[in-house]
Amino acid sequence: AQTVTQSQPEMSVQEAETVTLSCTYDTSENNYYLFWYKQPPSRQMILVIRQEAYKQQNATENRFSVNFQKAAKSFSLKISDSQLGDTAMYFCAFMKLLNAGNMLTFGGGTRLMVKP
Amino acid sequence: GAVVSQHPSWVICKSGTSVKIECRSLDFQATTMFWYRQFPKQSLMLMATSNEGSKATYEQGVEKDKFLINHASLTLSTLTVTSAHPEDSSFYICSARDGGLANTGELFFGEGSRLTVL
C-alpha cells in the first residue's frame, strides 16, 4: 500500500514571497504519478500540478513548481510570488500506474495562509 | 475544462433517514467515479470506486450496505447514505475520470456535499 506524508500541518507566507510545501511518499512501484491539489475555502479540489515518475524533469505551472526526488521519494511544491488567492489547503497525492484504476492516495494536507 | 457537479451541496437530515447525493459529469462521459469522505480539517479518504454498469468497489472498512453507490449511466453516480446517524455527518466529494480522453491520470472533482445528521 502507498502512503503519503505531509509533515507541515500549517504554514504561512508573506504575499509576494516564496514558500515550499513538503511531501514524502512510500511505494514499491516504479512508475506512478504525483499530484498537488489545492482546496480553497470553497472546498472545490483544484489540480495544481502533476508529475510523472518516469520524467526526470520537474514539472512547472506558472508560479508553481515541484522538486521531485524519486530516490528520496520526495515531492515538494514551491509557490513563487505568493498571492492572497493561494490561501488554501494543499494536498499531495499519489496515483499508481493508470491501468491500476486511477485511485488517488492523499496526504494529510498543509494549510497555507498567505498574509498581506 | 471538464465539470463535475454534486447535488445537494448541503443537506441536513434527521437520524434514521436516508440521503442521496448525486455526482454528475456535465460535459464528458465518466466511466469511473470515485467517492471520498472528508472530516473537518482532515484529508480525503477514498470510500469506493464506481464503474459504470458494474458494482462499486469499496475500500476496507467502508460498509457497502450503509453507503450504497449506483453508477447507472456514464454521467451519473449516486451515493446513498442509508439510515444516517450523526457520525455519518461529513463532507462527501466525488471525482471522475473522462473516459473519452487519453488517460493522463487527471481526475475532476465535484464541489462536495456537506451532510449534517441531527
Side-chain angles (χ1 to χ4, degrees):
Chain A
Q2 286 66 230
T3 59
V4 180
T5 303
Q6 293 178 246
S7 59
Q8 306 149 314
E10 293 186 0
M11 293 192 72
S12 64
V13 62
Q14 290 295 132
E15 193 176 8
E17 293 189 348
T18 296
V19 64
T20 299
L21 308 183
S22 301
C23 173
T24 58
Y25 58 94
D26 189 23
T27 183
S28 58
E29 304 286 333
N30 188 48
N31 293 317
Y32 48 86
Y33 289 75
L34 294 164
F35 304 82
W36 278 98
Y37 279 91
K38 170 184 178 180
Q39 188 181 40
S42 67
R43 306 298 290 273
Q44 174 81 55
M45 295 287 283
I46 301 167
L47 176 64
V48 175
I49 200 163
R50 173 179 59 218
Q51 174 82 42
E52 292 92 337
Y54 64 86
K55 289 187 178 179
Q56 293 185 338
Q57 186 173 8
N58 289 325
T60 62
E61 285 288 341
N62 301 313
R63 297 183 295 109
F64 300 89
S65 62
V66 299
N67 183 1
F68 173 48
Q69 301 290 328
K70 190 173 183 180
K73 296 180 182 176
S74 171
F75 184 60
S76 61
L77 174 69
K78 185 171 80 171
I79 306 175
S80 305
D81 186 24
S82 297
Q83 300 176 0
L84 296 178
D86 295 334
T87 293
M89 281 289 291
Y90 286 82
F91 293 100
C92 178
F94 174 100
M95 180 185 288
K96 286 198 295 187
L97 267 183
L98 301 181
N99 58 9
N102 282 62
M103 287 182 291
L104 282 169
T105 301
F106 287 93
T110 297
R111 184 175 301 277
L112 176 67
M113 173 75 73
V114 180
K115 299 179 179 179
Chain B
V3 177
V4 174
S5 177
Q6 278 185 244
H7 178 82
S9 56
W10 194 1
V11 57
I12 302 173
C13 69
K14 291 183 178 180
S15 185
T17 60
S18 293
V19 175
K20 181 185 285 187
I21 300 170
E22 294 185 345
C23 177
R24 293 182 184 273
S25 56
L26 299 186
D27 50 2
F28 66 97
Q29 292 185 331
T31 50
T32 305
M33 288 184 170
F34 302 90
W35 286 95
Y36 306 84
R37 185 172 183 177
Q38 185 179 29
F39 289 108
K41 297 186 179 181
Q42 293 190 24
S43 188
L44 283 73
M45 300 299 295
L46 180 64
M47 297 175 66
T49 301
S50 169
N51 292 299
E52 186 267 337
S54 63
K55 291 184 178 180
T57 303
Y58 290 81
E59 294 300 300
Q60 192 173 10
V62 178
E63 299 176 58
K64 61 180 180 180
D65 295 329
K66 173 77 171 177
F67 299 99
L68 300 178
I69 291 172
N70 184 280
H71 193 161
S73 78
L74 285 172
T75 60
L76 174 65
S77 176
T78 60
L79 167 68
T80 301
V81 183
T82 61
S83 187
H85 289 281
E87 58 266 29
D88 298 324
S89 298
S90 188
F91 195 66
Y92 293 89
I93 304 175
C94 72
S95 69
R97 182 174 85 79
D98 187 341
L101 298 176
N103 194 350
T104 62
E106 184 168 5
L107 297 179
F108 303 98
F109 284 78
E111 316 96 314
S113 299
R114 182 180 302 282
L115 171 62
T116 300
V117 185
L118 303 177

